[in-house]
Each structure stands twice: as structure tokens, then as C-alpha cells.
Amino acid sequence: MPEKYAKGTEIANAVEVLKNDKLIGVIKLQDSIKPSTKKALKQLREMGIKTAILSGDNEKIVESVANELGVDEFGAKLLPEDKFKWLEENKKSGKTIGYVGDGINDAPSLTLADVGISMGLSGSSASIEASDIVIANDNPQKIVDGIKISKVTRRIVWQNIIASALVKIVFLSLGAFGVTGMLSAVIADVGVTLLAILNSLRALRYNPNKQKIKHA
């Protein structure tokens, strides 16, 4: 029969091996943490993003994993409604929440979060349907890449908006004083549109792996 087996802070499931009703050994079963997970959480901290683990597992197991990963906060023995309530309370305080999950019980929280992220390979169909972003290869590093890409895209959008607004204001002002005519205004409008398109194409060449991490 499997039982809880603890050695220091390391918690795992264990299976006793018996021969003729005599214990001859214990096989320890434990999930390993992906190296990519540690790297991704380290980068999130460097970007000024706080992280938390919300789990329904035993408190000692969750605490051990949380300490190893260096997350800011953790919760154990949580039911789906407990996770949902945690998100509600943090959203009320004005925080922007990104929630990563792969189980059926994560679907309500994925829907409530500002950005719901699910794992495509190991995730359930319910969590995938409820999420905004699906990571196809289950690599947590893609979360960091997604944040970097979103920041670059947002910056490009604001550049286009500001450039378009400035050009329109300038030519409206010049037109009001009779300095320029309708043809100049049309040419300027088409020109700024082309510049916005070319500027937007920079996002296609963006490589998040070469981008330096900046504090949020």
C-alpha cells in the first residue's frame, strides 16, 4: 500500500516492497521539477512579477516545492472554490492576475483570471477551453516569452497611435491656417499608415530569447 514517506523536507509517495511478508525496501515515487520551470520563475522574479502556487496537495509537499522554486506565496489543500476566492480577493485589490493550470478544477480560475494560461499536452479539454492562451509544448518558459512579446507588441501599438495622432494634428493645424491643402493631408495620412504597418512588422522579427529582462 502506498503511504506518505518523509525525509527532511523532501516529501514523496512510497511503495513498500515485501518478500514473504518481510520488508526488503521502499520505492520512493516523486514528481521532479522541470529545469525550465525554475528558469522561468527566476526570470519572472527578475521582471518584478510575483508568483504563487495554489494546490490541493498536502501542505508539506506544497511548501517543499514552493521553497525549492522560490515563489512568493503558496496555498495547500485548496478546493477549486478556494482558488477562485483567492483570485477574487487579489483582483479586488487591483492586481493583474495571470493563472496557469491544466486540470478540470482549474477551469473556473482560468476564466476569472485576467490572463488564463493552460498546458496543451497535459491539460484537460475544460482548462484549454477556459484559457486565453494555450502552451502547446507544456514548456513554462513560453510564459516568460509570451509576456515579453506582449510588452513589445504594446510598445509598438503605442508608437503607431502617437505617430498617427501627431501627424494628423500637425496637418489639421496647417490646413486650418491654409498652409497645406487636401492633397498634402491625404499623402501624409497614407504615409503614416504605411509607416505604422512597417513598424508593426518589427514584431515578426522579435526574438524573446535575445531580449534583456526588464523590471515591470
Side-chain angles (χ1 to χ4, degrees):
M1 292 289 292
E3 62 178 17
K4 290 298 177 184
Y5 174 80
K7 183 178 180 182
T9 58
E10 188 177 355
I11 311 295
N13 288 324
V15 177
E16 293 181 345
V17 180
L18 293 88
K19 183 177 182 180
N20 297 326
D21 295 330
K22 181 180 179 181
L23 180 67
I24 61 173
V26 176
I27 300 175
K28 185 175 67 173
L29 306 175
Q30 183 177 19
D31 291 331
S32 60
I33 298 175
K34 294 180 181 179
S36 57
T37 301
K38 293 182 178 181
K39 180 181 177 182
L41 287 173
K42 180 176 180 293
Q43 290 182 332
L44 289 174
R45 288 194 297 272
E46 291 173 350
M47 295 168 71
I49 299 174
K50 292 185 177 181
T51 56
I53 294 178
L54 304 179
S55 174
D57 288 333
N58 180 279
E59 185 172 355
K60 290 184 178 180
I61 296 176
V62 179
E63 183 178 7
S64 175
V65 173
N67 290 336
E68 185 173 352
L69 292 177
V71 298
D72 299 287
E73 185 180 347
F74 73 90
K77 295 183 178 180
L78 298 179
L79 297 173
E81 54 264 33
D82 297 324
K83 298 178 183 180
F84 192 88
K85 184 178 180 181
W86 186 92
L87 289 177
E88 278 188 323
E89 292 175 351
N90 280 271
K91 287 194 70 173
K92 287 179 181 177
S93 63
K95 297 178 182 177
T96 300
I97 306 293
Y99 186 92
V100 184
D102 59 3
I104 295 176
N105 59 357
D106 290 316
S109 298
L110 286 167
T111 303
L112 177 64
D114 295 292
V115 181
I117 306 171
S118 65
M119 300 298 174
L121 293 178
S122 61
S124 66
S125 57
S127 64
I128 292 174
E129 287 292 331
S131 61
D132 302 296
I133 300 172
V134 179
I135 299 178
N137 61 359
D138 288 3
N139 184 358
Q141 181 62 36
K142 296 299 181 182
I143 299 173
V144 179
D145 293 346
I147 294 173
K148 291 180 180 179
I149 292 170
S150 68
K151 288 180 179 292
V152 169
T153 303
R154 186 168 184 257
R155 186 162 61 246
I156 290 174
V157 169
W158 275 110
Q159 288 172 354
N160 291 342
I161 291 173
I162 292 171
S164 299
L166 287 175
V167 169
K168 289 182 184 297
I169 290 172
V170 169
F171 275 87
L172 283 173
S173 301
L174 293 175
F177 290 101
V179 178
T180 60
M182 180 63 70
L183 181 60
S184 299
V186 171
I187 293 174
D189 187 63
V190 173
V192 77
T193 301
L194 291 175
L195 287 175
I197 293 172
L198 293 174
N199 188 39
S200 299
L201 291 175
R202 291 193 301 116
L204 297 176
R205 296 189 303 167
Y206 174 73
N207 185 351
N209 296 321
K210 294 183 180 180
Q211 178 71 17
K212 293 182 179 180
I213 298 173
K214 294 182 180 180
H215 195 282

